[in-house]
Amino acid sequence: MSQPTLSIADLRKSYERAELNEDASQADPLKQFDQWLTEAIAAEVPEPNAMTLATVASNLRPSTRIVLIKGYDERGITWFTNYDSRKGHELAGNPYAALQFHWVELERVVRIEGVVEKVSAEESDAYFNSRPLDSRIGAWASPQSEVITGRGVLVANAAKYGAKFLLQPPRPPHWGGYRLKPDNWQFWQGRKSRLHDRLRYTLQSDAVWLRERLAP
């Protein structure tokens, strides 16, 4: 193994782009998220819609993967995937999950925790039918998270389902949307000297969000 010219332990970055304080932040975390996501899109950061999804299996082992946000409103954060995947099985056994956005270029992180539920069949149908044809065929072709003998399995499956459904593949019964209903948000803004800004929003019993500053 080649030796890096610079030790990993010596890698440093000074965060000096922006600040996050209580006076300038939104009282509603959803509005704060909307502001930051809008700014990330406007800044043309790579894949601003990519988020890490963390789930926990019945054996208490956590796992993470990247998924793409497809919607957000007062009901929660929505994405779509294969229900028979590892994350699908883990969410079926434990519906609590966490999401994280990391917009490196803006020196920002958003963390979201809450309970996850499936969206309605109608909502899953509407989004599935809006996808490109190859993505719709791909939802049939990939037995996500299962062991396969090689890429040829996917290619063959795609050809089979493409011939079967032509231009109108229906939504597979094992594919659809999830929505995380947040009860905890954290917004992190990198600051100089590692004195970062970190605001937490916690949902109270009266449906009001408590905003607090945490030490970085």
Side-chain angles (χ1 to χ4, degrees), residues 90-177:
E90 292 182 352
L91 287 170
N94 176 12
Y96 291 95
L99 301 170
Q100 178 171 291
F101 293 83
H102 186 192
W103 298 309
V104 177
E105 293 77 6
L106 301 181
E107 302 171 354
R108 288 174 173 173
V109 173
V110 179
R111 297 164 55 186
I112 314 166
E113 300 175 10
V115 66
V116 177
E117 62 184 14
K118 290 181 178 179
V119 305
S120 68
E122 292 76 14
E123 190 170 349
S124 290
D125 286 341
Y127 175 68
F128 183 81
N129 292 329
S130 75
R131 305 178 84 207
L133 178 61
D134 59 349
S135 296
R136 284 178 281 155
I137 293 297
W140 283 96
S142 174
Q144 194 174 108
S145 299
E146 294 184 13
V147 175
I148 57 176
T149 57
R151 183 173 177 79
V153 173
L154 300 178
V155 175
N157 283 349
K160 179 180 71 173
Y161 288 112
K164 178 179 180 178
F165 296 125
L166 300 178
L167 299 178
Q168 298 297 328
R171 178 175 64 88
H174 58 263
W175 191 99

Side-chain angles (χ1 to χ4, degrees), residues 19-22 25-39 72 77 99-101 103 107-113 182 184-191 196-202 209-216:
E19 63 182 38
L20 177 65
N21 59 59
E22 292 82 347
S25 63
Q26 302 283 348
D28 183 339
L30 183 64
K31 292 181 179 178
Q32 183 65 40
F33 174 74
D34 178 68
Q35 176 183 325
W36 273 19
L37 178 57
T38 300
E39 291 174 359
Y72 61 97
I77 309 294
L99 301 170
Q100 178 171 291
F101 293 83
W103 298 309
E107 302 171 354
R108 288 174 173 173
V109 173
V110 179
R111 297 164 55 186
I112 314 166
E113 300 175 10
N184 188 292
W185 297 73
Q186 287 193 36
F187 295 85
W188 181 95
Q189 176 70 62
R191 297 295 300 275
H196 310 303
D197 290 330
R198 185 178 171 195
L199 297 184
R200 179 179 66 187
Y201 295 74
T202 307
W209 289 98
L210 173 65
R211 179 178 51 188
E212 300 171 298
R213 175 174 288 269
L214 301 182

